[in-house]
């Protein structure tokens, strides 16, 4: 997983706006075969058998998010860190823990998440980065077990069990976008909106590009969601 960003473009209450993320031209939700969890990513059920305490979220400024993960194989200390949206779909109940975030700002954003918040699943560090689908937060932030696992690539020797540094949330797959929205297309809109005004002028994907967990304003989220039914530019 990755870090976060902050575009304080909106200070609405988190539950003041909701969106129907059901495809406009498709009234049926995709059914997928449940497979075993992949290596390098644990299902939410796997992560809950240890005693972990939830981190109470503060009153969030955002309720929409963009979360990055790598859909292509990449070995880190001999472990494949690949985890794309298809891997999330393959987990039991299509639900998994978003572990491995090791950036304080990104961690804090996850601690602001609430059940029912929605997030774009963004494919990063790959041949064509971009937004692949939508997922839902189904469990608020709790202790990330991988920080204590010496065999895990996200092990942090400086983090202590009585004062853990890192948190994670559980997310559930909702659906694929009707078409993949590439970073290159989003950048064109960002540049246009920066010059003439528009929803993506301050989008964190470009103003805080290195962060892997980023908040979105309702306007940013809706604009990007609507692109799935439009022709690419």
């Amino acid at each position: 997983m990755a870090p976060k960003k902050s575009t304080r473009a909106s200070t609405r209450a988190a539950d003041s706006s909701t969106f129907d993320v059901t495809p406009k031209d498709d009234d049926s939700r995709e059914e997928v075969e449940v497979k075993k969890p992949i290596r390098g990513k644990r299902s939410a059920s796997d992560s809950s058998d240890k005693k972990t305490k939830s981190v109470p979220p503060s009153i969030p400024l955002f309720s929409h998010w963009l979360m990055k993960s790598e859909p292509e194989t990449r070995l880190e200390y001999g472990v494949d860190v690949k985890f794309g949206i298809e891997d999330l779909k393959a987990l039991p109940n299509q639900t998994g823990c978003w572990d491995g975030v090791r950036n304080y700002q990104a961690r804090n954003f996850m601690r602001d998440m609430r059940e029912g918040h929605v997030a774009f699943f963004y494919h990063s560090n790959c041949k064509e980065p971009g937004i692949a689908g939508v997922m839902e937060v189904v469990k608020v932030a709790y202790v990330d077990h991988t920080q204590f696992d010496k065999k895990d690539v996200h092990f942090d020797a400086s983090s202590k069990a009585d004062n853990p540094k890192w948190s994670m949330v559980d997310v559930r797959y909702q659906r694929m976008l009707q078409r993949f929205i590439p970073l290159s297309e989003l950048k064109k809109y960002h540049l246009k909106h920066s010059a003439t005004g528009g929803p993506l002028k301050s989008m964190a994907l470009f103003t805080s590009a290195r962060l892997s967990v980023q908040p979105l304003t309702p306007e940013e989220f809706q604009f990007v969601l609507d692109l799935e039914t439009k022709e690419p530019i």
Side-chain angles (χ1 to χ4, degrees), residues 99-113:
D99 59 29
V101 172
R102 295 298 180 265
N103 173 279
Y104 287 110
Q105 190 177 14
R107 178 206 65 184
N108 291 342
F109 281 136
M110 287 200 299
R111 289 182 176 181
D112 281 342
M113 293 178 181

Side-chain angles (χ1 to χ4, degrees), residues 143-150 155-156 159-161 164-165:
V143 176
D144 182 346
H145 55 272
T146 64
Q147 65 194 302
F148 306 122
D149 185 353
K150 294 182 179 180
F155 171 68
D156 184 352
S159 185
K160 307 303 178 184
K165 289 183 177 181

Side-chain angles (χ1 to χ4, degrees), residues 21 85 118-121 133-135 172-175 177 225:
V21 294
I85 196 167
V118 290
F120 286 130
F121 196 121
V134 182
M135 54 190 179
R172 179 183 297 137
Y173 168 85
Q174 280 198 341
R175 69 174 180 87
L177 292 186
L225 190 65

Side-chain angles (χ1 to χ4, degrees), residues 32-223:
V32 298
E33 179 183 358
V34 174
K35 301 178 183 178
K36 294 181 180 180
I38 63 166
R39 185 181 181 187
K41 201 67 182 172
R42 305 190 187 188
S43 67
S45 58
D46 290 338
S47 66
S48 61
D49 53 9
K50 292 184 178 181
K51 292 183 179 179
T52 57
K53 51 186 178 182
S54 294
V55 179
S58 58
I59 298 176
L61 297 175
F62 299 94
S63 59
H64 303 84
W65 309 90
L66 182 147
M67 302 172 75
K68 298 180 181 180
S69 190
E70 301 181 36
E72 298 175 0
T73 292
R74 181 174 69 83
L75 297 180
E76 192 170 325
Y77 302 108
V79 177
D80 191 354
V81 296
K82 169 185 176 293
F83 188 72
I85 196 167
E86 295 292 342
D87 299 306
L88 177 62
K89 287 172 58 179
L91 292 176
N93 300 317
Q94 299 181 328
T95 302
C97 55
W98 202 266
D99 59 29
V101 172
R102 295 298 180 265
N103 173 279
Y104 287 110
Q105 190 177 14
R107 178 206 65 184
N108 291 342
F109 281 136
M110 287 200 299
R111 289 182 176 181
D112 281 342
M113 293 178 181
R114 298 286 181 85
E115 292 181 11
H117 282 191
V118 290
F120 286 130
F121 196 121
Y122 182 94
H123 283 171
S124 66
N125 197 22
C126 54
K127 293 178 182 177
E128 184 169 34
I131 297 173
V134 182
M135 54 190 179
E136 178 185 1
V137 177
V138 294
K139 185 175 180 179
V140 298
Y142 61 105
V143 176
D144 182 346
H145 55 272
T146 64
Q147 65 194 302
F148 306 122
D149 185 353
K150 294 182 179 180
K151 296 181 180 180
D152 195 279
V153 296
H154 301 115
F155 171 68
D156 184 352
S158 67
S159 185
K160 307 303 178 184
D162 60 348
N163 188 26
K165 289 183 177 181
W166 307 110
S167 304
M168 61 185 180
V169 297
D170 286 353
V171 294
R172 179 183 297 137
Y173 168 85
Q174 280 198 341
R175 69 174 180 87
M176 304 291 289
L177 292 186
Q178 293 184 50
R179 69 177 180 90
F180 184 82
I181 311 296
L183 173 64
S184 57
E185 181 177 348
L186 293 170
K187 186 174 182 179
K188 291 177 183 178
Y189 281 110
H190 167 67
L191 293 173
K192 179 180 178 181
H193 292 180
S194 296
T196 62
L200 303 193
K201 63 180 179 180
S202 300
M203 189 179 186
L205 186 60
F206 304 101
T207 61
S208 301
R210 293 180 63 85
L211 292 175
S212 66
V213 180
Q214 306 176 354
L216 296 170
T217 66
E219 294 78 15
E220 289 169 343
F221 183 87
Q222 189 62 60
F223 182 89

